Amino acid sequence: MFNYIIDLFFPKLCAGCHSVLMTYEFVLCTKCRHELPLTQYHLDPKNEAVKKFYGKVTIEYASAFLYFNKKGIVQELIHNLKYKAQEEIGTVLGHWYAEDLKKLPLEIPFDTIIPVPLHKRKFKERGYNQVTTFGKALAEDLNIYYDDTVLYRKRYSKTQSKKNLLGRSENIENIFDVHFSENNHRKHFLIVDDVLTTGATLEACSHALLKIPGAKISIVCMAIAH
């Protein structure tokens, strides 16, 4: 009864179109869920996410769940996740994409999921890392260890979304480093992030993790700029 009254005066809204959610809907309404621009990259070993890193860093696999278009539903989702603390969006996307990633060949076994880290100052400002819930949902469904202690950001930088593509590629090298022990040797790390644009940030993360002896790198993002 109490929850009914709360929903009556403060109805739950769709994170995509802001319409009132039905009782059986969570985060996204049925219409928005069916309109999500799926990449189907998990079916293509030579997809556009993989091509972002050709000749730049050695990776085993790369993929993204959705296409990110300006003023589209995915931009709205990422904005609400990143700036309005709607962390449940990451959880939902992680659980959905895990079902696709379970279909990958067995020769791509991930050992540890690593989120792209925020600088301590940025984390304090925002109060959370927008990638955390996505990574933890993947880890839960794929039965993979989640570790946000290995990779860290050494320098504070401005929000990437406010920079142009050239600016996103500049001054990105050497801003990440790693804390690791022998337990991290020879692990296959799956780096997760929100939106793949130039790939510069993920490239820098990969180079840092490759300092670990025997490390292998794969990358999965919620979305890719399209």
Side-chain angles (χ1 to χ4, degrees), residues 147-171:
D147 195 338
D148 60 2
T149 65
V150 175
L151 183 66
Y152 69 96
R153 188 184 291 256
K154 296 188 292 184
R155 295 204 315 265
Y156 177 86
S157 60
K158 294 181 179 179
T159 301
Q160 291 287 84
S161 61
K162 296 180 180 179
K163 300 178 182 179
N164 58 31
L165 292 181
L166 178 61
R168 293 180 188 184
S169 300
E170 294 175 343
N171 304 319

mmCIF file of all heavy atoms in Angstrom, residues 147-171:
data_model
loop_
_atom_site.group_PDB
_atom_site.id
_atom_site.type_symbol
_atom_site.label_atom_id
_atom_site.label_comp_id
_atom_site.label_asym_id
_atom_site.label_seq_id
_atom_site.Cartn_x
_atom_site.Cartn_y
_atom_site.Cartn_z
ATOM 1 N N ASP A 147 37.350 -6.182 -10.400
ATOM 2 C CA ASP A 147 38.424 -5.584 -9.608
ATOM 3 C C ASP A 147 38.653 -4.134 -10.026
ATOM 4 O O ASP A 147 39.069 -3.858 -11.147
ATOM 5 C CB ASP A 147 39.718 -6.381 -9.791
ATOM 6 C CG ASP A 147 40.781 -6.045 -8.744
ATOM 7 O OD1 ASP A 147 40.710 -4.944 -8.157
ATOM 8 O OD2 ASP A 147 41.673 -6.878 -8.528
ATOM 9 N N ASP A 148 38.359 -3.200 -9.125
ATOM 10 C CA ASP A 148 38.570 -1.781 -9.423
ATOM 11 C C ASP A 148 39.790 -1.226 -8.690
ATOM 12 O O ASP A 148 39.917 -0.012 -8.503
ATOM 13 C CB ASP A 148 37.324 -0.961 -9.076
ATOM 14 C CG ASP A 148 36.938 -1.058 -7.608
ATOM 15 O OD1 ASP A 148 37.659 -1.731 -6.831
ATOM 16 O OD2 ASP A 148 35.904 -0.476 -7.221
ATOM 17 N N THR A 149 40.706 -2.117 -8.279
ATOM 18 C CA THR A 149 41.905 -1.683 -7.542
ATOM 19 C C THR A 149 43.179 -1.767 -8.368
ATOM 20 O O THR A 149 44.189 -1.161 -8.009
ATOM 21 C CB THR A 149 42.094 -2.523 -6.267
ATOM 22 O OG1 THR A 149 42.369 -3.888 -6.628
ATOM 23 C CG2 THR A 149 40.850 -2.475 -5.394
ATOM 24 N N VAL A 150 43.167 -2.503 -9.467
ATOM 25 C CA VAL A 150 44.388 -2.714 -10.246
ATOM 26 C C VAL A 150 44.763 -1.479 -11.059
ATOM 27 O O VAL A 150 45.900 -1.005 -11.025
ATOM 28 C CB VAL A 150 44.236 -3.930 -11.180
ATOM 29 C CG1 VAL A 150 45.463 -4.071 -12.090
ATOM 30 C CG2 VAL A 150 44.033 -5.199 -10.375
ATOM 31 N N LEU A 151 43.812 -0.949 -11.797
ATOM 32 C CA LEU A 151 44.048 0.199 -12.685
ATOM 33 C C LEU A 151 43.617 1.486 -11.988
ATOM 34 O O LEU A 151 42.552 1.545 -11.390
ATOM 35 C CB LEU A 151 43.252 0.012 -13.974
ATOM 36 C CG LEU A 151 43.399 1.062 -15.072
ATOM 37 C CD1 LEU A 151 44.808 1.061 -15.656
ATOM 38 C CD2 LEU A 151 42.366 0.815 -16.179
ATOM 39 N N TYR A 152 44.458 2.522 -12.061
ATOM 40 C CA TYR A 152 44.089 3.801 -11.461
ATOM 41 C C TYR A 152 44.533 4.957 -12.346
ATOM 42 O O TYR A 152 45.408 4.816 -13.198
ATOM 43 C CB TYR A 152 44.671 3.937 -10.052
ATOM 44 C CG TYR A 152 46.179 4.089 -9.987
ATOM 45 C CD1 TYR A 152 46.789 5.337 -9.902
ATOM 46 C CD2 TYR A 152 47.011 2.960 -9.998
ATOM 47 C CE1 TYR A 152 48.163 5.469 -9.831
ATOM 48 C CE2 TYR A 152 48.383 3.078 -9.931
ATOM 49 C CZ TYR A 152 48.969 4.340 -9.849
ATOM 50 O OH TYR A 152 50.333 4.466 -9.792
ATOM 51 N N ARG A 153 43.877 6.090 -12.146
ATOM 52 C CA ARG A 153 44.160 7.294 -12.929
ATOM 53 C C ARG A 153 45.062 8.214 -12.123
ATOM 54 O O ARG A 153 44.739 8.577 -10.990
ATOM 55 C CB ARG A 153 42.850 8.014 -13.282
ATOM 56 C CG ARG A 153 43.011 9.171 -14.256
ATOM 57 C CD ARG A 153 41.685 9.887 -14.480
ATOM 58 N NE ARG A 153 40.728 9.066 -15.208
ATOM 59 C CZ ARG A 153 40.443 9.243 -16.500
ATOM 60 N NH1 ARG A 153 41.034 10.191 -17.180
ATOM 61 N NH2 ARG A 153 39.559 8.457 -17.089
ATOM 62 N N LYS A 154 46.189 8.605 -12.722
ATOM 63 C CA LYS A 154 47.165 9.418 -12.014
ATOM 64 C C LYS A 154 46.863 10.906 -12.072
ATOM 65 O O LYS A 154 47.204 11.645 -11.144
ATOM 66 C CB LYS A 154 48.566 9.191 -12.615
ATOM 67 C CG LYS A 154 49.096 7.792 -12.455
ATOM 68 C CD LYS A 154 50.553 7.701 -12.883
ATOM 69 C CE LYS A 154 50.700 7.910 -14.377
ATOM 70 N NZ LYS A 154 52.125 7.724 -14.821
ATOM 71 N N ARG A 155 46.230 11.356 -13.165
ATOM 72 C CA ARG A 155 46.004 12.788 -13.354
ATOM 73 C C ARG A 155 44.525 13.086 -13.509
ATOM 74 O O ARG A 155 43.777 12.310 -14.103
ATOM 75 C CB ARG A 155 46.735 13.302 -14.602
ATOM 76 C CG ARG A 155 48.242 13.240 -14.525
ATOM 77 C CD ARG A 155 48.882 14.265 -15.473
ATOM 78 N NE ARG A 155 48.264 14.294 -16.787
ATOM 79 C CZ ARG A 155 48.719 13.622 -17.839
ATOM 80 N NH1 ARG A 155 49.760 12.834 -17.718
ATOM 81 N NH2 ARG A 155 48.123 13.730 -19.012
ATOM 82 N N TYR A 156 44.130 14.229 -12.983
ATOM 83 C CA TYR A 156 42.754 14.699 -13.142
ATOM 84 C C TYR A 156 42.615 15.313 -14.525
ATOM 85 O O TYR A 156 43.489 16.035 -15.003
ATOM 86 C CB TYR A 156 42.449 15.743 -12.072
ATOM 87 C CG TYR A 156 41.067 16.357 -12.168
ATOM 88 C CD1 TYR A 156 39.979 15.753 -11.565
ATOM 89 C CD2 TYR A 156 40.860 17.560 -12.854
ATOM 90 C CE1 TYR A 156 38.713 16.307 -11.637
ATOM 91 C CE2 TYR A 156 39.603 18.126 -12.935
ATOM 92 C CZ TYR A 156 38.532 17.494 -12.320
ATOM 93 O OH TYR A 156 37.283 18.054 -12.401
ATOM 94 N N SER A 157 41.506 15.019 -15.202
ATOM 95 C CA SER A 157 41.270 15.608 -16.518
ATOM 96 C C SER A 157 39.827 16.044 -16.619
ATOM 97 O O SER A 157 38.949 15.547 -15.901
ATOM 98 C CB SER A 157 41.593 14.607 -17.632
ATOM 99 O OG SER A 157 40.788 13.456 -17.510
ATOM 100 N N LYS A 158 39.560 16.991 -17.532
ATOM 101 C CA LYS A 158 38.209 17.502 -17.717
ATOM 102 C C LYS A 158 37.328 16.440 -18.367
ATOM 103 O O LYS A 158 37.804 15.486 -18.965
ATOM 104 C CB LYS A 158 38.240 18.768 -18.587
ATOM 105 C CG LYS A 158 38.949 19.943 -17.926
ATOM 106 C CD LYS A 158 38.909 21.166 -18.826
ATOM 107 C CE LYS A 158 39.597 22.356 -18.169
ATOM 108 N NZ LYS A 158 39.581 23.541 -19.058
ATOM 109 N N THR A 159 36.023 16.625 -18.257
ATOM 110 C CA THR A 159 35.068 15.682 -18.819
ATOM 111 C C THR A 159 35.270 15.531 -20.318
ATOM 112 O O THR A 159 35.315 16.511 -21.060
ATOM 113 C CB THR A 159 33.625 16.165 -18.550
ATOM 114 O OG1 THR A 159 33.455 16.281 -17.137
ATOM 115 C CG2 THR A 159 32.621 15.183 -19.103
ATOM 116 N N GLN A 160 35.409 14.280 -20.788
ATOM 117 C CA GLN A 160 35.658 14.012 -22.199
ATOM 118 C C GLN A 160 34.542 14.503 -23.104
ATOM 119 O O GLN A 160 34.782 14.922 -24.232
ATOM 120 C CB GLN A 160 35.846 12.501 -22.402
ATOM 121 C CG GLN A 160 37.136 11.950 -21.797
ATOM 122 C CD GLN A 160 38.358 12.342 -22.588
ATOM 123 O OE1 GLN A 160 38.902 13.421 -22.412
ATOM 124 N NE2 GLN A 160 38.805 11.473 -23.459
ATOM 125 N N SER A 161 33.300 14.478 -22.624
ATOM 126 C CA SER A 161 32.165 14.842 -23.471
ATOM 127 C C SER A 161 32.192 16.307 -23.864
ATOM 128 O O SER A 161 31.521 16.710 -24.799
ATOM 129 C CB SER A 161 30.850 14.524 -22.754
ATOM 130 O OG SER A 161 30.743 15.268 -21.556
ATOM 131 N N LYS A 162 32.969 17.131 -23.159
ATOM 132 C CA LYS A 162 33.038 18.550 -23.466
ATOM 133 C C LYS A 162 34.192 18.883 -24.413
ATOM 134 O O LYS A 162 34.430 20.022 -24.730
ATOM 135 C CB LYS A 162 33.179 19.356 -22.173
ATOM 136 C CG LYS A 162 31.969 19.229 -21.249
ATOM 137 C CD LYS A 162 32.149 20.037 -19.985
ATOM 138 C CE LYS A 162 30.934 19.902 -19.066
ATOM 139 N NZ LYS A 162 31.094 20.655 -17.802
ATOM 140 N N LYS A 163 34.927 17.843 -24.851
ATOM 141 C CA LYS A 163 36.044 18.053 -25.747
ATOM 142 C C LYS A 163 35.681 17.589 -27.148
ATOM 143 O O LYS A 163 34.836 16.729 -27.332
ATOM 144 C CB LYS A 163 37.263 17.250 -25.266
ATOM 145 C CG LYS A 163 37.749 17.626 -23.867
ATOM 146 C CD LYS A 163 38.916 16.743 -23.466
ATOM 147 C CE LYS A 163 39.397 17.063 -22.059
ATOM 148 N NZ LYS A 163 40.514 16.192 -21.655
ATOM 149 N N ASN A 164 36.371 18.177 -28.146
ATOM 150 C CA ASN A 164 36.184 17.661 -29.492
ATOM 151 C C ASN A 164 37.033 16.403 -29.664
ATOM 152 O O ASN A 164 37.779 16.008 -28.770
ATOM 153 C CB ASN A 164 36.552 18.724 -30.539
ATOM 154 C CG ASN A 164 37.991 19.207 -30.385
ATOM 155 O OD1 ASN A 164 38.865 18.470 -29.971
ATOM 156 N ND2 ASN A 164 38.233 20.470 -30.742
ATOM 157 N N LEU A 165 36.918 15.742 -30.819
ATOM 158 C CA LEU A 165 37.615 14.480 -31.007
ATOM 159 C C LEU A 165 39.121 14.622 -30.892
ATOM 160 O O LEU A 165 39.802 13.746 -30.364
ATOM 161 C CB LEU A 165 37.246 13.897 -32.379
ATOM 162 C CG LEU A 165 35.806 13.422 -32.523
ATOM 163 C CD1 LEU A 165 35.590 12.859 -33.920
ATOM 164 C CD2 LEU A 165 35.467 12.373 -31.477
ATOM 165 N N LEU A 166 39.671 15.741 -31.383
ATOM 166 C CA LEU A 166 41.105 15.951 -31.292
ATOM 167 C C LEU A 166 41.517 16.102 -29.841
ATOM 168 O O LEU A 166 42.490 15.514 -29.374
ATOM 169 C CB LEU A 166 41.519 17.194 -32.087
ATOM 170 C CG LEU A 166 43.020 17.555 -32.027
ATOM 171 C CD1 LEU A 166 43.841 16.401 -32.600
ATOM 172 C CD2 LEU A 166 43.281 18.843 -32.804
ATOM 173 N N GLY A 167 40.740 16.876 -29.101
ATOM 174 C CA GLY A 167 41.053 17.100 -27.695
ATOM 175 C C GLY A 167 41.006 15.829 -26.877
ATOM 176 O O GLY A 167 41.749 15.656 -25.920
ATOM 177 N N ARG A 168 40.135 14.903 -27.266
ATOM 178 C CA ARG A 168 40.019 13.648 -26.533
ATOM 179 C C ARG A 168 41.252 12.782 -26.724
ATOM 180 O O ARG A 168 41.556 11.929 -25.915
ATOM 181 C CB ARG A 168 38.776 12.884 -27.008
ATOM 182 C CG ARG A 168 37.486 13.569 -26.639
ATOM 183 C CD ARG A 168 36.290 12.781 -27.127
ATOM 184 N NE ARG A 168 35.064 13.536 -26.928
ATOM 185 C CZ ARG A 168 33.858 13.069 -27.198
ATOM 186 N NH1 ARG A 168 33.712 11.859 -27.678
ATOM 187 N NH2 ARG A 168 32.792 13.809 -26.998
ATOM 188 N N SER A 169 41.952 12.986 -27.829
ATOM 189 C CA SER A 169 43.122 12.162 -28.130
ATOM 190 C C SER A 169 44.396 12.742 -27.529
ATOM 191 O O SER A 169 45.406 12.050 -27.433
ATOM 192 C CB SER A 169 43.291 12.030 -29.656
ATOM 193 O OG SER A 169 42.153 11.431 -30.223
ATOM 194 N N GLU A 170 44.369 14.009 -27.158
ATOM 195 C CA GLU A 170 45.564 14.669 -26.660
ATOM 196 C C GLU A 170 45.761 14.424 -25.167
ATOM 197 O O GLU A 170 44.825 14.307 -24.400
ATOM 198 C CB GLU A 170 45.467 16.184 -26.911
ATOM 199 C CG GLU A 170 45.488 16.543 -28.389
ATOM 200 C CD GLU A 170 45.270 18.030 -28.602
ATOM 201 O OE1 GLU A 170 44.798 18.696 -27.661
ATOM 202 O OE2 GLU A 170 45.558 18.512 -29.705
ATOM 203 N N ASN A 171 47.023 14.381 -24.769
ATOM 204 C CA ASN A 171 47.390 14.333 -23.357
ATOM 205 C C ASN A 171 46.753 13.179 -22.599
ATOM 206 O O ASN A 171 46.498 13.271 -21.399
ATOM 207 C CB ASN A 171 47.017 15.661 -22.670
ATOM 208 C CG ASN A 171 47.650 16.861 -23.339
ATOM 209 O OD1 ASN A 171 48.823 16.809 -23.726
ATOM 210 N ND2 ASN A 171 46.902 17.931 -23.485
#
